Amino acid sequence: MRVHIKNELIEIIKMLSEANDFIQDNIETNITDQIKELLVNCQQSAIEVGEKIEYFEGEGTVAVSMLEEYCELVYRLSLTLDDVKKARKLIKLLRNLLQRIINSITYDIPVSRKEVVFFPYKASMWDSMESVWEAACKDPDCDVYVVPLPYYDKKTDGSLNKMHYEGNEFPDYVPVTSWEKYAVSERCPDIAYIHNPYDNANRVTSIHPDFYAKELKKYVGLLVYIPYFITQGDVPTHFCVLPGTLFSDKVIVTTEKEKNTYINELKKFETENNCSGKFGNLEEKFLILGSPKVDKVLSTTRDNVTVPKEWHDLIIKPDGSRKKVILYNTTIQPLLNHKEEYLDKIQEVLNFFYEKRDEYTLLWRPHPLMETTLSSMLPGLYERYKKILVEYNNKAFGIYDETADIHRAIALSDAYYGDKGSVAVLYKETGKPCMIQNVKVK
């Protein structure tokens, strides 16, 4: 049985002991009906504990036998409340029996291997988990699962639209378990990692509702949120108060400044909503452990990535020498802020590198949700954006990278040009030139 399940069951038995003490203290008062109702609740709780033990351990455990004995004693006590002397004898028997049940759950039921599960949704964001997954796999006492989640585009009214699943896009060395075959409510993993903080709070996409952080927390021992993004030491405040940060037991951050931003924003939320302490001890909730994304980018080089032939042909000149490769990264927020002007900027950049195609190869990587966002939030610009893409691909002077592997693009390129954001922060870790795009500069 999982450690956290054992602990939950023991806490329930302790609550039964507290109820037993309450009955002992009030057996001579005129609250017989209240005591009878309490005994019914105690009996139901004991039955549920027994069912859970049998679910995980099968039939025939000592603890379940004692729980059955407990239920019989509770029934007898409910019939003798008018006889204080007999009732006190039964209460004493129940107290001793409950302690024996705690001991049996603690010592007779073996602790199973630790189960750790990772719940990514987009393959391109797997780098935010990979080094943690690698460490878990090295632990001989852990059973580790990677369960990619399906996600949906949202209609303009917020309802779920087309479903996407990227389980087949993860690296070959990552064994994937189908989300349809991993029942969280039955497996009750010890630790679960997530990198989607939104639940239903995103206007563009949503993971499957069964895997919202609020739902996972019902069955998981320790829920850990690792942000899919990385910042330059601080975090945008709109990322701080989301379901993933609220319901997770631990949140991984990179700096003290980032931790303080999360804490300050959550404290404001608690004050405004009169829910202080509901989401855990904030000082202990945030762990400064760095980002797995940096681990991944530093371990990926040109020597250990596979380059498609069509990319190779665009990078290598006829004389065998290599062109300079510029990673062009476009993101969502500037698009939402500048709209038509942002598309003008993209077109300008593509035109510039078309003129410089003999010396430079542009490697364009738009945000993976760029088209979905346009379709959902800026449908009037969607057709123009698609037209820009078609023209870029038809001219065939640069690479269009919509794969999940950002690290190959970082390793292959000689410099970065594009928007601020997680990719730019990662790129700076390589020590190569990093230039930030300004939409206003023409």
Side-chain angles (χ1 to χ4, degrees):
M1 182 181 290
R2 309 262 180 258
V3 171
H4 71 94
I5 297 297
K6 290 183 68 170
N7 291 338
E8 288 174 9
L9 298 184
I10 289 171
E11 287 303 312
I12 294 173
I13 303 303
K14 288 180 178 179
M15 290 172 61
L16 296 182
S17 295
E18 292 173 3
N20 199 63
D21 293 340
F22 174 84
I23 294 169
Q24 177 177 279
D25 294 340
N26 293 276
I27 192 67
E28 295 185 47
T29 61
N30 190 27
I31 58 169
T32 302
D33 289 343
Q34 183 179 340
I35 290 176
K36 285 183 177 180
E37 183 178 354
L38 181 59
L39 288 172
V40 170
N41 292 335
C42 287
Q43 193 172 51
Q44 183 58 42
S45 295
I47 291 170
E48 291 173 2
V49 170
E51 289 175 346
K52 201 153 195 176
I53 291 174
E54 288 190 334
Y55 176 82
F56 284 101
E57 301 298 318
E59 298 180 354
T61 61
V62 174
V64 170
S65 296
M66 288 192 285
L67 284 163
E68 291 170 349
E69 182 182 348
Y70 169 82
C71 289
E72 176 61 28
L73 286 176
V74 165
Y75 174 70
R76 287 169 56 190
L77 176 59
S78 69
L79 300 178
T80 58
L81 292 177
D82 295 334
D83 189 330
V84 174
K85 186 175 181 180
K86 287 184 178 179
R88 288 195 180 280
K89 287 183 179 179
L90 289 172
I91 291 169
K92 184 177 181 180
L93 289 175
L94 284 168
R95 183 190 307 116
N96 294 334
L97 181 57
L98 286 168
Q99 185 57 54
R100 287 165 54 207
I101 292 171
I102 290 175
N103 292 339
S104 180
I105 294 174
T106 302
Y107 301 111
D108 295 338
I109 298 176
V111 175
S112 59
R113 289 167 55 82
K114 186 179 294 185
E115 182 158 315
V116 180
V117 60
F118 293 81
F119 288 120
Y121 77 112
K122 290 196 69 63
S124 60
M125 298 175 181
W126 171 241
D127 61 339
S128 65
M129 293 180 164
E130 184 167 292
S131 63
V132 180
W133 167 76
E134 289 173 343
C137 289
K138 292 176 182 177
D139 188 336
D141 296 322
C142 284
D143 293 322
V144 184
Y145 297 86
V146 177
V147 184
L149 304 180
Y151 65 96
Y152 302 83
D153 301 330
K154 280 189 172 181
K155 300 178 183 178
T156 53
D157 64 359
S159 60
L160 300 183
N161 198 2
K162 181 181 178 182
M163 188 184 88
H164 304 273
Y165 177 69
E166 299 186 3
N168 59 343
E169 298 179 28
F170 281 68
D172 293 340
Y173 54 82
V174 179
V176 164
T177 299
S178 169
W179 65 277
E180 295 176 294
K181 295 181 179 179
Y182 192 94
V184 184
S185 60
E186 297 177 5
R187 304 297 291 259
C188 298
D190 297 280
I191 305 174
Y193 291 93
I194 60 173
H195 66 193
N196 181 304
Y198 298 106
D199 285 4
N200 63 342
N202 190 314
R203 292 173 57 189
V204 178
T205 62
S206 170
I207 60 171
H208 194 294
D210 287 353
F211 296 91
Y212 284 171
K214 186 176 182 179
E215 293 301 310
L216 292 177
K217 190 57 205 138
K218 297 176 182 178
Y219 309 107
V220 172
L222 188 74
L223 184 62
V224 183
Y225 165 51
I226 306 178
Y228 65 85
F229 56 88
I230 184 171
T231 70
Q232 291 180 298
D234 205 349
V235 59
T237 55
H238 64 273
F239 279 118
C240 294
V241 184
L242 290 170
T245 55
L246 293 174
F247 293 103
S248 291
D249 300 292
K250 301 294 180 183
V251 178
I252 308 303
V253 297
T254 58
T255 66
E256 187 73 32
K257 184 179 181 182
E258 191 176 319
K259 174 181 177 179
N260 291 335
T261 301
Y262 272 109
I263 291 174
N264 291 336
E265 292 301 314
L266 284 177
K267 283 182 176 178
K268 289 179 188 177
F269 177 83
E270 288 184 336
T271 300
E272 293 168 359
N273 293 274
N274 193 28
C275 59
S276 180
K278 181 178 179 179
F279 301 104
N281 184 324
L282 299 184
E283 297 296 334
E284 297 179 358
K285 188 184 190 83
F286 299 92
L287 304 178
I288 306 173
L289 298 177
S291 173
K293 295 175 77 71
V294 175
D295 300 334
K296 180 65 176 179
V297 78
L298 295 180
S299 67
T300 307
T301 68
R302 290 180 188 172
D303 295 330
N304 60 19
V305 296
T306 301
V307 182
K309 183 180 185 302
E310 57 270 27
W311 290 22
H312 179 273
D313 293 343
L314 287 168
I315 294 172
I316 303 302
K317 298 179 182 179
D319 63 4
S321 61
R322 188 179 186 276
K323 298 179 187 179
K324 293 291 185 181
V325 179
I326 308 300
L327 172 56
Y328 182 42
N329 180 56
T330 54
T331 60
I332 290 175
Q333 196 58 51
L335 170 65
L336 298 177
N337 293 342
H338 300 286
K339 302 179 175 65
E340 190 83 37
E341 190 178 16
Y342 187 77
L343 296 187
D344 292 341
K345 183 65 176 182
I346 290 177
Q347 187 66 70
E348 177 192 345
V349 171
L350 299 184
N351 290 343
F352 174 85
F353 281 100
Y354 179 71
E355 296 298 325
K356 302 289 184 179
R357 62 189 181 278
D358 291 337
E359 295 299 322
Y360 295 94
T361 298
L362 190 68
L363 198 166
W364 183 16
R365 268 189 74 93
H367 190 283
L369 295 177
M370 185 75 83
E371 290 191 46
T372 302
T373 301
L374 276 169
S375 177
S376 174
M377 299 178 67
L378 297 170
L381 299 182
Y382 180 66
E383 287 305 318
R384 185 186 171 194
Y385 180 76
K386 290 291 289 182
K387 188 175 180 180
I388 291 172
L389 285 184
V390 170
E391 183 181 355
Y392 175 71
N393 286 319
N394 285 342
K395 285 185 175 180
F397 67 92
I399 298 165
Y400 181 69
D401 183 10
E402 56 182 343
T403 68
D405 191 358
I406 179 61
H407 303 283
R408 175 174 59 181
I410 292 175
L412 285 177
S413 57
D414 298 282
Y416 173 96
Y417 179 72
D419 298 324
K420 293 179 180 179
S422 185
V423 178
V425 174
L426 278 178
Y427 206 92
K428 288 180 179 179
E429 295 288 336
T430 69
K432 293 185 288 190
C434 185
M435 297 161 282
I436 302 302
Q437 174 173 261
N438 186 336
V439 175
K440 298 294 183 180
V441 176
K442 303 298 182 182

